[in-house]
Amino acid sequence: MKNKVLLLTWSALITVVLLASLSFARQGTGLIGNVFSDFNDFSWQLDEFYDIVGPTKLNSIDVEEAKKNITVSDDEIERHRYRYGTLADQLSNIHDQYAQRIADAKDAGNELLMNTLIEERDMKLADIRKNFESDAHVEAKIRKEKEKALVQYLNDVKANSFSLPVAYEFTDVETGETYSSGDVSVPAVYKKQFNAAKGYFKANSLPGHNGTNGWIRTSDYGNQAASEDIQITTSVKTFEGTVIVPKSAVAKGGVLYSQYKDFNKGRLATYVFWLLGIIALITLLTVMKFQKEWVTGTAIADWYADLKIDLKAAAFFMTALILVGYIDSKSSNLSNFFTYQSLGRWGEWLTSFLIGGVVMTTLFAFQLVNGVERWKREGVLAKDIKNSFTLQFFKALREMFLKRSIGVQSFILLIGFFLAGIGFIGGFIDGIFLMIYAFCVLFLGLPALYIFVRRSAYLNRIIVATEQMASGRLNEDIKIEGRSPLADHAKNLNNLREGVRISMTEQAKSERLKTELITNVSHDLRTPLTSIITYTDLLKDENITSEERAKYVDILDKKSQRLKTLIEDLFEVSKMASGNLELNKQRVDLTQLLQQALAEHANQISESGLDFRTTIPEEMLIAHVDGQRWWRVLDNLIVNAVKYSLPGTRVYVTLRKVGDSAEFVVKNITKFELSENVDELFERFKRADTSRHTDGSGLGLAIAQSIVDMHQGNMKIELDGDLFKVTVTVPTK
């Protein structure tokens, strides 16, 4: 938890340093030493003033003079004339528009309305005919529309007002005429002079045209049916003078007071943030130096290490992209944020700071450090690349062409479907694409589809035949068609069918072994149980002596322990077979564990008359195993050697390290003759003593085998006449 807090704190400091440094690089020179008049909002309002003071006050256009300069071209006349179609089309449309209305008025007996509609219709018809008879008539109508739009536009220009409380005094350099508003001699928060030395003020007659001829569209001013352009001749006049914004405007209660206050607040807050960036940088270089332990050795680091390198690269790229985007976005308008503060903006800023800044910086550091630490280990980077999705994809792509015909056909189909989608969309764009698309569909797509359907049908027949084989119906071969890879697959499945038939013999053998297993279990459980019942009945006799009673009780105890051992072993084997047994792996010294196991059975070994020869390493041999379970393996193998070795012979026990594994070997001469089939010795309740007179359960090797398998080890039995050898290996890493 402490490491997490330290990492998040470090990430927050890094984010502050990045935001402050980039903000200073972008805005430092522009913000330090600036005054209110350099403020963005103020500058925009000044630009607005300079743009419209010319058209509205200093150099306005005369409306009547502008009307005289309106022109109408022959193209405009033609477009207006045929705006709604040919003469016949327009006359027909008007007749259709009024026919039903006139008929309704006549049916209603409203003669006045009927005559009015007829008169209105005839006027429109006459106007349409005149449009096609006289260019002058059409020109007059267009001119009237343009004059209306022009008047509206110029009135809109003159109606513009200044949002700033500006005082100005301008003198026309050519005429000497003076234009003024307000007092330019009062104290000012902004003041600019125009003269020969500092540059004259150029007043345009239209906003934003800088002396070039302007154009307006009649459609923007009520004439939606036409969109003819009106050219307006503009002019530029030269002025000298003074423009000010009085200080009273930024005083408390002034028009610009809130903007002035916001500007000073934003500038001060930005300075404070830059100072915080310096403090954060000093902190990072002194008391908060990054420690890689903050991001390594955690549970999430182990989970992250198992991810494919492709996913890591994509996550790293996305994290860096989001972090860079956040820093770039927030640093560019930091002063603007501090200028216009609100609770909602603070919430949004803090949220983005935590997610886009702190979290992304944390993830970036986590991925970078864990990646570097992992790939510093020799061979790990190459292994990660080898196991990546990208290489697996290319490997799969290569394996797609193991059967070249299938790979080529699949690739062609994929490309074909892709191009078909493009062609289908292209058909809506241009008719020529539709023709090409139709040709490709008829002569390429449909034949490919035919082949694909036939192959798919054959594949389905093979799948159905395979399902029949799986259900046990092995009488019919799969029909082989042609020389395709599917035909080869069908041939292989037929061979597999023969293999399944052969395996039926093995299955019969398995049933036999199962029967033997049940018989052996019944025998081994019934024998001690019968003894327990018999001696219990004997104990009920009141006439037996105390010596006999003690003897019977001792026999009962032995038989009970024997029955208990059988049942416990049976339950343990069942647990292992069902996978319900859990291992508690720890660092275990196998050398010490073997020494303890031999010491545990020292008396049995001594009484057996066997000569145990042990070879054990002097140093520790460490492996990650479940000590209790591994003790059971050693115990079972040693007990097995004691019980089933020929008396007077030698037993060799060896423990050594072989590569990255520990190897445990037991060799002895068997007391009983063994079958050459080694696998039978791993079967449950299988014993070397076929008469089953010894005390073994027949589960020892089966239990040992299961435990070794659970440790990803290996257990092997070798027979050479009466020489019996068991070799157990387990990884030490």
Side-chain angles (χ1 to χ4, degrees):
M1 185 65 185
K2 180 181 178 182
N3 285 344
K4 292 180 181 178
V5 173
L6 290 173
L7 178 60
L8 289 174
T9 305
W10 179 86
S11 299
L13 293 173
I14 283 289
T15 305
V16 171
V17 170
L18 291 175
L19 284 173
S21 57
L22 192 55
S23 171
F24 181 80
R26 286 177 164 177
Q27 301 170 309
T29 56
L31 192 61
I32 296 176
N34 276 3
V35 293
F36 176 63
S37 59
D38 299 315
F39 186 37
N40 283 340
D41 282 2
F42 189 84
S43 299
W44 295 336
Q45 292 177 80
L46 279 175
D47 292 339
E48 178 189 40
F49 164 75
Y50 288 125
D51 193 39
I52 65 175
V53 69
T56 58
K57 304 295 181 182
L58 308 178
N59 190 15
S60 58
I61 293 177
D62 184 88
V63 176
E64 296 304 321
E65 189 64 30
K67 287 182 181 180
K68 296 177 183 178
N69 293 327
I70 291 177
T71 60
V72 179
S73 67
D74 291 340
D75 288 340
E76 290 175 332
I77 293 174
E78 286 299 306
R79 285 197 298 271
H80 187 280
R81 179 176 286 154
Y82 289 97
R83 182 188 304 169
Y84 300 111
T86 63
L87 174 61
D89 291 337
Q90 295 184 43
L91 293 176
S92 177
N93 288 336
I94 295 299
H95 274 290
D96 293 342
Q97 290 176 20
Y98 283 89
Q100 187 61 47
R101 296 172 64 190
I102 292 172
D104 291 343
K106 182 178 181 181
D107 292 342
N110 192 340
E111 187 174 347
L112 177 61
L113 177 58
M114 183 184 70
N115 291 334
T116 302
L117 291 172
I118 292 173
E119 182 180 355
E120 185 178 312
R121 179 199 63 188
D122 292 343
M123 288 176 61
K124 289 186 176 181
L125 292 173
D127 182 66
I128 292 171
R129 290 190 182 94
K130 198 168 184 179
N131 283 345
F132 282 85
E133 294 170 357
S134 172
D135 288 349
H137 177 71
V138 178
E139 180 181 354
K141 291 170 68 176
I142 296 174
R143 184 178 297 278
K144 186 175 181 180
E145 291 174 356
K146 288 188 174 184
E147 287 179 354
K148 181 179 177 182
L150 175 63
V151 170
Q152 179 66 42
Y153 174 72
L154 293 178
N155 287 340
D156 288 348
V157 170
K158 292 181 179 180
N160 287 334
S161 58
F162 314 132
S163 57
L164 278 179
V166 181
Y168 62 87
E169 184 178 288
F170 287 109
T171 301
D172 193 322
V173 174
E174 295 183 1
T175 65
E177 186 176 1
T178 299
Y179 302 84
S180 64
S181 175
D183 186 358
V184 297
S185 63
V186 299
V189 68
Y190 168 82
K191 183 175 183 179
K192 186 171 184 179
Q193 292 183 324
F194 299 91
N195 49 43
K198 297 181 179 181
Y200 292 110
F201 177 70
K202 304 294 183 179
N204 302 308
S205 56
L206 284 180
H209 283 79
N210 298 323
T212 60
N213 289 336
W215 297 82
I216 65 170
R217 300 180 69 83
T218 58
S219 61
D220 295 333
Y221 292 91
N223 184 6
Q224 299 300 324
S227 56
E228 310 296 350
D229 292 336
I230 305 173
Q231 183 176 15
I232 302 177
T233 302
T234 62
S235 63
V236 179
K237 292 184 178 181
T238 304
F239 292 86
E240 63 179 2
T242 303
V243 175
I244 72 161
V245 175
K247 277 191 176 180
S248 59
V250 299
K252 192 169 184 179
V255 176
L256 301 177
Y257 173 70
S258 62
Q259 293 184 25
Y260 184 71
K261 184 175 68 174
D262 288 341
F263 167 75
N264 288 325
K265 178 178 64 178
R267 180 171 60 176
L268 179 60
T270 304
Y271 290 164
V272 171
F273 191 82
W274 290 346
L275 180 60
L276 286 176
I278 296 174
I279 296 173
L281 180 60
I282 295 172
T283 305
L284 289 170
L285 296 176
T286 54
V287 297
M288 279 297 292
K289 290 183 178 180
F290 182 80
Q291 304 292 328
K292 66 181 182 181
E293 290 77 13
W294 296 346
V295 296
T296 58
T298 61
I300 192 172
D302 296 336
W303 170 84
Y304 178 77
D306 294 333
L307 289 180
K308 299 287 187 181
I309 193 172
D310 320 68
L311 298 179
K312 293 179 181 178
F316 184 77
F317 174 76
M318 287 302 301
T319 301
L321 192 64
I322 294 173
L323 180 60
V324 170
Y326 166 76
I327 297 298
D328 178 70
S329 172
K330 294 303 178 182
S331 64
S332 64
N333 62 358
L334 195 62
S335 62
N336 182 63
F337 165 74
F338 288 131
T339 300
Y340 304 106
Q341 298 179 32
S342 67
L343 185 61
R345 295 191 76 194
W346 266 110
E348 182 272 333
W349 193 88
L350 289 174
T351 301
S352 65
F353 177 81
L354 292 174
I355 297 175
V358 177
V359 173
M360 289 301 115
T361 302
T362 301
L363 292 177
F364 184 85
F366 173 84
Q367 295 173 82
L368 184 62
V369 172
N370 276 283
V372 171
E373 289 298 312
R374 175 176 175 79
W375 296 322
K376 281 194 320 189
R377 300 198 296 268
E378 185 178 355
V380 173
L381 178 59
K383 181 180 177 182
D384 284 354
I385 294 175
K386 183 179 179 181
N387 295 330
S388 66
F389 283 126
T390 303
L391 283 187
Q392 289 177 7
F393 169 78
F394 284 111
K395 181 181 178 182
L397 189 64
R398 184 182 62 188
E399 292 174 349
M400 176 181 171
F401 290 91
L402 290 177
K403 292 294 184 180
R404 185 170 299 177
S405 59
I406 290 181
V408 171
Q409 291 171 17
S410 301
F411 185 75
I412 291 175
L413 283 173
L414 288 173
I415 296 298
F417 284 125
F418 176 74
L419 295 178
I422 296 177
F424 183 74
I425 296 173
F428 290 97
I429 300 174
D430 195 330
I432 189 65
F433 287 113
L434 186 60
M435 294 176 61
I436 297 174
Y437 176 69
F439 175 84
C440 292
V441 168
L442 290 173
F443 297 101
L444 295 177
L446 292 181
L449 182 62
Y450 171 75
I451 295 173
F452 176 73
V453 170
R454 283 204 60 190
R455 292 289 175 85
S456 297
Y458 186 33
L459 177 61
N460 285 333
R461 291 199 298 273
I462 292 175
I463 292 174
V464 170
T466 306
E467 290 174 349
Q468 291 176 348
M469 289 175 56
S471 63
R473 291 188 287 247
L474 306 174
N475 298 325
E476 294 185 7
D477 285 345
I478 301 173
K479 186 177 180 181
I480 299 174
E481 299 179 1
R483 300 176 61 184
S484 67
L486 291 178
D488 294 338
H489 183 59
K491 187 185 300 182
N492 292 332
L493 286 173
N494 287 332
N495 294 333
L496 179 62
R497 180 180 58 83
E498 291 300 321
V500 171
R501 284 183 175 180
I502 295 174
S503 70
M504 299 290 288
T505 305
E506 297 296 326
Q507 186 175 359
K509 177 183 177 182
S510 175
E511 292 295 328
R512 176 180 60 79
L513 293 175
K514 187 184 298 184
T515 303
E516 290 182 3
L517 171 64
I518 294 172
T519 302
N520 292 336
V521 170
S522 301
H523 177 274
D524 286 350
L525 290 177
R526 187 169 59 248
T527 299
L529 185 60
T530 301
S531 297
I532 291 172
I533 294 172
T534 300
Y535 285 100
T536 301
D537 290 338
L538 291 173
L539 285 172
K540 294 178 182 178
D541 187 356
E542 297 178 354
N543 297 322
I544 61 175
T545 64
S546 58
E547 290 81 3
E548 290 176 324
R549 186 181 301 278
K551 178 181 177 183
Y552 295 161
V553 169
D554 183 59
I555 294 173
L556 280 174
D557 180 62
K558 290 181 179 179
K559 297 300 180 181
S560 298
Q561 291 299 323
R562 166 72 176 148
L563 185 61
K564 177 185 176 184
T565 300
L566 285 171
I567 293 173
E568 286 178 348
D569 286 353
L570 183 60
F571 272 115
E572 188 159 6
V573 169
S574 299
K575 282 184 180 181
M576 292 178 183
S578 62
N580 292 328
L581 190 65
E582 295 184 359
L583 296 180
N584 181 23
K585 290 187 176 182
Q586 297 176 335
R587 284 171 50 88
V588 174
D589 182 2
L590 299 183
T591 301
Q592 182 181 7
L593 194 65
L594 177 57
Q595 291 171 342
Q596 291 175 356
L598 291 170
E600 182 79 15
H601 297 285
N603 291 336
Q604 291 178 263
I605 293 172
S606 176
E607 294 172 0
S608 68
L610 298 171
D611 183 8
F612 266 69
R613 301 291 181 91
T614 59
T615 304
I616 302 174
E618 296 180 359
E619 68 279 359
M620 292 192 301
L621 181 54
I622 303 297
H624 282 80
V625 296
D626 185 326
Q628 182 179 358
R629 304 295 175 189
W630 202 254
W631 165 272
R632 185 69 182 276
V633 173
L634 302 179
D635 183 74
N636 284 358
L637 294 179
I638 293 172
V639 169
N640 189 72
V642 172
K643 286 182 178 179
Y644 299 113
S645 294
L646 185 67
T649 60
R650 286 183 289 272
V651 178
Y652 293 90
V653 178
T654 304
L655 177 65
R656 62 181 178 175
K657 184 172 183 181
V658 179
D660 290 337
S661 300
E663 184 181 80
F664 174 66
V665 181
V666 178
K667 291 188 294 185
N668 64 288
I669 303 298
T670 62
K671 181 190 302 184
F672 303 98
E673 183 178 355
L674 298 177
S675 169
E676 292 183 359
N677 189 355
V678 175
D679 293 336
E680 289 186 358
L681 296 176
F682 288 115
E683 295 170 7
R684 300 169 194 172
F685 290 92
K686 192 70 177 180
R687 287 154 63 178
D689 176 15
T690 55
S691 63
R692 313 190 73 79
H693 291 312
T694 57
D695 291 338
S697 68
L699 294 172
L701 291 180
I703 291 173
Q705 174 74 69
S706 299
I707 294 174
V708 171
D709 290 342
M710 293 174 67
H711 284 82
Q712 287 78 48
N714 182 52
M715 181 172 174
K716 181 175 66 173
I717 294 179
E718 298 174 82
L719 282 176
D720 186 2
D722 291 333
L723 178 62
F724 181 84
K725 177 180 178 183
V726 181
T727 304
V728 177
T729 59
V730 64
T732 56
K733 290 187 179 180

